[in-house]
């Protein structure tokens, strides 16, 4: 049986090791048969899911990392209020991420066997 794991990320897309490491952990969990991870992006972390990020050669790209997470069955949701505050819409996001609500975060929290926050 898979363990439901909720990862809540709040930090900025770039410049914070915590955000990078949270997405790395999410990816590793998504490749395990005994884990069912979900990522909820809040605050500045919603910028992690912006499509078409251009980073310097050799630098990580969070949108690509999140796509890999989703390819392995991970689910990605973005706080709608946080998107609005940053002038972002669903059209700005990678196809694997979607606009969400605090009500859904509350439901995911109740359903989770473990909640990790970054």
């Amino acid at each position: 049986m898979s363990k439901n794991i909720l990862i809540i990320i709040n930090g900025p897309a770039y410049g914070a090791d915590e955000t990078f490491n949270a997405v790395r952990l999410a990816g590793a969990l998504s490749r395990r048969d005994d884990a069912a991870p979900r990522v909820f992006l809040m605050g500045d972390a919603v910028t992690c899911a912006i499509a078409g990020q251009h980073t310097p050669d050799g630098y990580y790209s969070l949108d690509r990392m999140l796509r890999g997470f989703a390819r392995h069955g991970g689910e990605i949701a973005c706080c709608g209020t946080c998107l609005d505050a940053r002038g972002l819409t669903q059209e700005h996001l990678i196809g694997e991420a979607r606009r969400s609500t605090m009500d859904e975060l509350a439901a995911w929290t109740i359903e989770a066997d473990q909640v990790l926050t970054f």
Side-chain angles (χ1 to χ4, degrees), residues 35-84:
R38 290 172 163 167
V39 167
F40 196 93
L41 302 172
M42 299 182 76
D44 286 338
V46 296
T47 62
C48 296
I50 294 175
Q53 297 176 24
H54 299 286
T55 56
D57 288 341
Y59 204 72
Y60 62 90
S61 173
L62 290 169
D63 63 328
R64 278 186 256 143
M65 291 173 69
L66 286 171
R67 282 189 169 114
F69 167 74
R71 256 193 320 276
H72 288 98
E75 195 171 350
I76 307 162
C78 299
C79 170
T81 301
C82 302
L83 289 169
D84 291 346

Side-chain angles (χ1 to χ4, degrees), residues 15-116:
D17 287 342
E18 295 86 358
T19 302
F20 172 60
N21 288 324
V23 176
R24 288 178 56 220
L25 175 59
L29 288 167
S30 72
R31 293 186 295 275
R32 294 181 58 97
D33 293 333
D34 58 351
R38 290 172 163 167
V39 167
F40 196 93
L41 302 172
M42 299 182 76
D44 286 338
V46 296
T47 62
C48 296
I50 294 175
Q53 297 176 24
H54 299 286
T55 56
D57 288 341
Y59 204 72
Y60 62 90
S61 173
L62 290 169
D63 63 328
R64 278 186 256 143
M65 291 173 69
L66 286 171
R67 282 189 169 114
F69 167 74
R71 256 193 320 276
H72 288 98
E75 195 171 350
I76 307 162
C78 299
C79 170
T81 301
C82 302
L83 289 169
D84 291 346
R86 287 153 184 81
L88 299 172
T89 64
Q90 182 68 47
E91 292 73 35
H92 291 102
L93 304 178
I94 58 174
E96 297 83 354
R98 63 180 171 69
R99 181 183 182 90
S100 187
T101 65
M102 288 301 284
D103 287 338
E104 182 170 41
L105 176 57
W108 282 11
T109 301
I110 296 299
E111 294 168 8
D113 297 306
Q114 188 167 14
V115 178
L116 306 172

